[in-house]
Amino acid sequence: RDRNAWEIEREEMKNRIAILEGETRTSKGLRTSLERHVKLLEIALKKEREKARILD
Amino acid sequence: MEGQDNADELYPIAVLIDELKHDDVLLRLNAIHRLSTIALALGPERTRDELIPFLDDSVEDEDEVLTALAEELGNFVEYVGGPEYAHVLLAPLENLAAIEEPLVRDKAVESLNKICEQLAERQVEEYFIPLTIRLSKADWFTSKISATGLYVTPYKKASASAQQTLRTQFGHLVHDETPMVRRQAANNLAKFIKEVPVSVVIDEMIPLFQHLASDDQDSVRLLTVEVLISIAEVIPKEQQPSHGVLLTALRSLFEDKSWRVRYMVADRFEKIAKAVNEEVVTRDLVPAFVKLLKDSEAEVRTAIASQIPGFCNLLDRETLLNEIMTSIEDLVSDPSQHVRAALGTQLSGLAPILGKEETISHLLPMFLQMLKDEFPDVRLHIISKLELVNDVIGIDLLSQSLLPAIVQLAEDKQWRVRLAIIEYIPLLAKQLGMKFFDEQLSSLCMGWLGDTVFSIREAATQNLKKLTEVFGVEWASRAIIPKVTTMSQQENYLYRMTTCFAVTILAPVITLDIIQNNILPMMDRLVSDPIPNIRFNVAKSYAVLIDTLRRLPAEGTLQQLEESGSTDAEPSPQGLELINEQIMPNLEKLQGDDDVDVRYFATIAAGGSTTAGAERMDTGQ
């Protein structure tokens, strides 16, 4: 019975690891996408500024 | 050249495409929710020319993502250059409104209506109404269902001729051959009616209503109850008699062969009664109400029971007493417990309507019978609403008639019945007040402590704790503690045992003073009790007391401390003193007892407490 309990616990731990790994993957993806959005906005802002300078 | 590459890669739509290709749904969802960033980076002009067309035809994804897209597009007006360009958003939303998944369509319709609010009248005529018509004429019923939701908002802004077109088109939807579309049309007809002038309601909407009300599907008919209410609300009450059709429709709804339709009518009865004129109420609704009270389906009876106070409020007392009361009285002995429970919640609402005398002669007998109901919910509902009755007939009369019933139940032979009534005591006490309780109920509560059944004694001690929460510590020290002390001197050891339990349970709700002056002396005596059972229970109670005293501030009780949530209240040094001087010596004595169980529990109480104390100090430093 002890062995059973031990195996169940092991499985639960494995599941937990899998869930946590999935979460990190997602947040990693989220981060890269957000970083790209920042760059995107940076470029857009630069262009806007240039335009404004030309108008001045 | 590298800068060029970089810029290409960061071209907003390219980024979006990239993100929408990701495997992880969460990431795609996130990309959609951040769509505004892309639009902002593009600027309004390019959003209109590039982003919207892209979304228009190239997005195929899970329903979840599409729902998010439909939602986002509803807030997109500012990103496409303000209201004058808002109509470009209609195309992608039109596609989403034709999708099979209802959640996506609902969101798309919601967003379309939101955008429509911001459109100018010309745009509504030029873009929005054609869209509505297109969806209404689509082959697939999903589009038509979406279309039914798109009539109300543009109607207000349309010109007279466009309004005419909209009404005709809506008429076609009402006459659609699929019941799914007719259902949604019925749902939206009620809202539509509120937007059109009375003359149009009479000429055009009533025929539509009649058509739906005579539908062969009961799922369609039951939705017409709402339509009927909104028609009746719009037409002025003095004009209603001239529209016999409405009355006929109403009567046939009351007697519909499908109980679901009757349920709907019963559920909205009060609203219907408020919308029609008084003559109809007395002539048609009163008999209908009585009939529904006697309906063959328990669900219908439950629904109509919930309308009792609301509807009776609209009637004069004569009709109420002569025609309705007897039917309500029949419900008290209804075979379905749900009906009785629904009646139990509503019955006390009649007291203010009936007035003092009628309440006494009609309601009280019903109350008393329902108090004896075998289904606990019925009793609970009756007891929990006693306040209303109390306000009308006064505490004296109420207690005169209620008290015998409670006493009878409290002394019932079946211990389960006694247990049930104990559970309601705190509630009763809260509603009826301290004075009533002291005079009538307190002896009852103390009596339970000496019950022959353990569960009753246990519930009674729990009850004391709850009563202390209701009435406060002072009341407890005056009413409960002396009784508990007397009990500790009883012959039968079971009573003395109950004392120990009571101490354990009451510890969190009493103050330091009471523990010092009343509880500890009493425990001192019990330590040398001849029965080992008592002695080890004393040890157990000591364990709880030690724990309480460790945390108890000089003022107030532990429970108050926990409720206020403050952690800064210092435990009183007096409490620690009491532990060391009064409890510990007794525990040491018990540790040297002859009985093995007493020694065990005494060691736990003393030993367990010292380690707990050490830990507390560790964390404190």
Side-chain angles (χ1 to χ4, degrees):
Chain A
R1 191 139 44 82
D2 270 358
R3 194 173 162 72
N4 262 347
W6 180 77
E7 253 163 32
I8 290 169
E9 199 186 327
R10 199 174 129 87
E11 280 309 307
E12 274 168 5
M13 289 299 179
K14 271 186 186 165
N15 277 342
R16 234 175 95 77
I17 292 173
I19 291 168
L20 290 174
E21 276 176 351
E23 267 170 22
T24 27
R25 249 202 311 280
T26 310
S27 47
K28 223 179 248 169
L30 219 58
R31 207 192 64 204
T32 42
S33 111
L34 286 176
E35 270 169 7
R36 265 203 294 199
H37 280 213
V38 172
K39 269 188 207 146
L40 209 76
L41 291 173
E42 274 172 7
I43 292 174
L45 185 63
K46 258 184 226 157
K47 278 184 190 158
E48 287 289 316
R49 288 228 174 109
E50 250 167 60
K51 238 191 259 167
R53 206 170 48 228
I54 291 166
L55 283 178
D56 279 346
Chain B
M1 275 295 107
E2 195 177 332
Q4 185 66 47
D5 273 355
N6 204 1
D8 259 0
E9 204 178 288
L10 283 171
Y11 181 65
I13 291 185
V15 171
L16 181 65
I17 293 172
D18 215 34
E19 287 180 351
L20 289 180
K21 274 193 299 201
H22 208 283
D23 294 334
D24 197 334
V25 186
L26 268 177
L27 286 181
R28 294 206 297 275
L29 208 55
N30 188 58
I32 293 291
H33 280 305
R34 307 259 78 234
L35 203 58
S36 51
T37 317
I38 306 277
L40 217 50
L42 281 170
E45 201 172 314
R46 295 178 74 184
T47 302
R48 290 198 297 276
D49 296 344
E50 296 170 36
L51 180 63
I52 299 296
F54 165 74
L55 293 174
D56 198 356
D57 48 34
S58 59
V59 176
E60 273 182 18
D61 208 323
E62 313 242 342
D63 296 332
E64 213 182 337
V65 181
L66 294 181
T67 315
L69 178 61
E71 191 178 348
E72 287 300 317
L73 285 176
N75 305 320
F76 239 56
V77 174
E78 56 167 308
Y79 300 112
V80 295
E84 64 257 50
Y85 295 104
H87 56 263
V88 302
L89 293 170
L90 298 183
L93 282 171
E94 184 177 347
N95 291 340
L96 290 171
I99 280 189
E100 234 170 296
E101 167 61 38
L103 282 175
V104 182
R105 275 188 280 127
D106 287 351
K107 260 292 176 254
V109 168
E110 199 186 307
S111 292
L112 276 170
N113 282 326
K114 208 161 152 189
I115 293 171
C116 185
E117 301 272 347
Q118 305 180 44
L119 290 178
E121 279 158 36
R122 188 187 55 77
Q123 288 170 300
V124 171
E125 297 226 349
E126 209 167 311
Y127 302 102
F128 201 95
I129 294 179
L131 175 146
T132 307
I133 306 281
R134 267 201 306 283
L135 284 173
S136 305
K137 286 183 176 162
D139 296 328
W140 198 235
F141 74 90
T142 50
S143 302
K144 292 188 196 165
I145 291 180
S146 300
T148 58
L150 295 173
Y151 280 84
V152 183
T153 334
Y155 189 85
K156 286 174 271 189
K157 297 189 169 186
S159 67
S161 67
Q163 287 184 337
Q164 181 62 49
T165 333
L166 282 175
R167 289 200 303 267
T168 327
Q169 197 55 49
F170 195 81
H172 291 316
L173 288 176
V174 168
H175 289 87
D176 197 90
E177 57 198 10
T178 55
M180 289 80 94
V181 178
R182 292 203 300 274
R183 268 202 291 276
Q184 288 310 309
N187 260 337
N188 285 293
L189 186 56
K191 292 173 205 150
F192 204 7
I193 283 167
K194 289 180 185 139
E195 298 299 331
V196 299
V198 179
S199 60
V200 177
V201 173
I202 293 169
D203 293 340
E204 297 183 27
M205 297 302 175
I206 290 184
L208 292 183
F209 160 72
Q210 275 183 293
H211 176 77
L212 289 171
S214 58
D215 201 286
D216 55 358
Q217 298 264 335
D218 64 350
S219 59
V220 178
R221 287 202 304 278
L222 69 87
L223 294 170
T224 57
V225 177
E226 276 296 316
V227 183
L228 179 74
I229 294 172
S230 39
I231 290 183
E233 275 171 354
V234 170
I235 298 180
K237 285 193 177 179
E238 57 278 8
Q239 278 182 33
Q240 282 176 358
S242 53
H243 304 295
V245 281
L246 279 184
L247 267 181
T248 337
L250 183 62
R251 283 189 200 128
S252 64
L253 282 176
F254 282 139
E255 281 157 22
D256 201 283
K257 57 185 183 301
S258 158
W259 70 265
R260 293 206 292 160
V261 178
R262 295 199 304 277
Y263 172 86
M264 210 64 179
V265 178
D267 196 46
R268 310 287 150 90
F269 209 87
E270 194 186 334
K271 265 177 130 182
I272 298 177
K274 275 185 181 151
V276 299
N277 68 6
E278 278 168 36
E279 200 194 320
V280 181
V281 172
T282 42
R283 197 186 58 215
D284 293 290
L285 291 192
V286 170
F289 191 77
V290 173
K291 215 165 175 189
L292 287 170
L293 283 172
K294 294 178 176 151
D295 199 278
S296 56
E297 287 296 323
E299 272 85 351
V300 179
R301 295 198 301 274
T302 311
I304 200 72
S306 66
Q307 306 285 310
I308 289 175
F311 181 64
C312 293
N313 214 357
L314 301 171
L315 301 174
D316 56 292
R317 288 170 42 124
E318 283 299 299
T319 353
L320 177 56
L321 286 174
N322 296 335
E323 301 185 29
I324 294 187
M325 228 31 216
T326 45
S327 310
I328 296 180
E329 277 161 16
D330 288 344
L331 277 194
V332 171
S333 45
D334 196 277
S336 157
Q337 57 188 31
H338 299 290
V339 176
R340 296 198 304 273
L343 182 66
T345 37
Q346 304 297 339
L347 202 54
S348 36
L350 278 178
I353 303 171
L354 284 171
K356 190 168 175 177
E357 278 169 33
E358 303 298 342
T359 303
I360 295 170
S361 61
H362 287 90
L363 281 189
L364 273 181
M366 293 160 79
F367 271 135
L368 295 180
Q369 197 182 338
M370 292 185 89
L371 267 183
K372 291 176 202 151
D373 202 286
E374 60 189 15
F375 186 51
D377 276 14
V378 179
R379 299 192 299 263
L380 180 63
H381 288 160
I382 285 289
I383 289 177
S384 59
K385 290 274 180 69
L386 274 182
E387 225 172 341
L388 280 173
V389 188
N390 186 9
D391 290 346
V392 176
I393 68 171
I395 188 81
D396 289 339
L397 275 168
L398 184 65
S399 58
Q400 265 177 34
S401 42
L402 192 63
L403 203 66
I406 294 176
V407 173
Q408 201 190 341
L409 289 173
E411 288 162 358
D412 198 282
K413 267 190 209 134
Q414 292 273 328
W415 68 268
R416 282 181 197 282
V417 177
R418 297 201 295 273
L419 188 63
I421 206 76
I422 293 178
E423 277 163 18
Y424 303 135
I425 290 289
L427 196 64
L428 264 176
K430 199 186 282 174
Q431 294 195 43
L432 300 178
M434 196 192 287
K435 193 167 156 278
F436 176 77
F437 184 87
D438 277 348
E439 283 168 9
Q440 321 273 4
L441 291 177
S442 73
S443 58
L444 214 53
C445 288
M446 299 307 160
W448 280 318
L449 289 174
D451 199 279
T452 47
V453 179
F454 173 75
S455 292
I456 301 289
R457 295 198 298 273
E458 196 192 19
T461 41
Q462 288 287 354
N463 181 33
L464 290 183
K465 181 184 171 196
K466 286 189 192 129
L467 284 171
T468 313
E469 282 164 28
V470 174
F471 290 146
V473 185
E474 256 175 60
W475 175 83
S477 70
R478 178 164 55 79
I480 297 183
I481 303 295
K483 296 264 170 64
V484 175
T485 318
T486 346
M487 228 168 36
S488 71
Q489 292 152 348
Q490 290 277 344
E491 284 285 310
N492 189 333
Y493 87 99
L494 281 175
Y495 284 92
R496 298 200 297 276
M497 186 112 97
T498 312
T499 317
C500 297
F501 291 136
V503 168
T504 316
I505 288 169
L506 288 173
V509 290
I510 52 180
T511 56
L512 188 63
D513 278 348
I514 297 179
I515 295 182
Q516 187 180 7
N517 297 333
N518 302 86
I519 305 285
L520 287 181
M522 183 171 85
M523 299 296 273
D524 279 343
R525 250 182 295 116
L526 288 175
V527 165
S528 45
D529 199 280
I531 311 277
N533 250 342
I534 302 293
R535 291 200 301 275
F536 81 66
N537 271 303
V538 168
K540 278 187 190 169
S541 299
Y542 269 142
V544 176
L545 280 175
I546 289 174
D547 187 49
T548 311
L549 285 171
R550 272 236 170 72
R551 290 183 289 155
L552 196 65
E555 299 281 322
T557 68
L558 205 57
Q559 185 133 7
Q560 285 165 356
L561 184 71
E562 271 163 16
E563 268 165 21
S564 64
S566 67
T567 46
D568 50 279
E570 282 289 309
S572 148
Q574 206 187 343
L576 297 176
E577 211 174 288
L578 282 178
I579 295 175
N580 289 331
E581 286 177 10
Q582 299 209 30
I583 298 182
M584 281 309 178
N586 281 337
L587 277 178
E588 272 162 31
K589 200 164 108 195
L590 287 174
Q591 271 169 296
D593 199 275
D594 293 340
D595 190 274
V596 61
D597 285 331
V598 178
R599 286 200 303 276
Y600 171 75
F601 282 110
T603 322
I604 293 274
S609 56
T610 47
T611 53
E615 273 166 25
R616 203 170 298 264
M617 255 177 225
D618 282 346
T619 50
Q621 300 293 309

